[in-house]
Amino acid sequence: MSEKNELSIKQRFGKAVRRRRRELDLSQEQLAERAELHRTYISNLERGELNPSLETMEKLANALDISIPAMFINYGIQVENESRKDC
C-alpha cells in the first residue's frame, strides 16, 4: 500500500472520530478521559497524523459508544478500491 493511501485512511479515520465525538457533544479532553488517552493524542489523531493501533481503536470506539465496524460503515472510512470490481 502506498504512503498516499495510508495517509488517506488515517485522515478518514480521524474525521470519523471527530464527527462522532461532536455528535456526542464531547470535547477532545472528555473523549481522551473516556478512552484513557491524552488529549493531544486525540487532536493528532483527528488531524490524521497518527496510525492508531487496534487496541486504541477499540478504546476510542468504546468511549464513543459505537462499534468499530459501525464507525467504518457509518462514517465512510472504508477504502474505495476499483480493483474490487474484479473480485
Side-chain angles (χ1 to χ4, degrees):
M1 186 175 286
S2 73
E3 183 68 21
K4 183 178 179 185
N5 289 338
E6 187 176 325
L7 291 174
S8 181
I9 188 72
K10 290 189 292 188
Q11 290 171 344
R12 287 194 308 268
F13 184 78
K15 285 181 181 184
V17 169
R18 177 181 288 135
R19 188 169 154 204
R20 179 64 178 166
R21 175 179 62 78
R22 288 180 175 170
E23 284 177 359
L24 297 175
D25 197 28
L26 295 173
S27 67
Q28 287 181 342
E29 189 170 342
Q30 289 169 320
L31 175 56
E33 186 174 312
R34 283 183 174 200
E36 298 179 350
L37 299 168
H38 197 276
R39 190 208 54 82
T40 57
Y41 184 91
I42 300 297
S43 176
N44 291 335
L45 181 95
E46 287 185 355
R47 288 195 312 270
E49 296 176 357
L50 298 174
N51 190 12
S53 68
L54 291 172
E55 289 87 0
T56 299
M57 290 172 65
E58 182 177 47
K59 284 182 175 185
L60 288 164
N62 289 337
L64 292 168
D65 195 30
I66 192 169
S67 70
I68 294 171
M71 275 191 76
F72 277 77
I73 293 166
N74 297 344
Y75 297 96
I77 300 170
Q78 67 273 11
V79 176
E80 293 183 22
N81 187 348
E82 290 187 10
S83 66
R84 293 181 72 199
K85 295 177 187 174
D86 299 331
C87 294

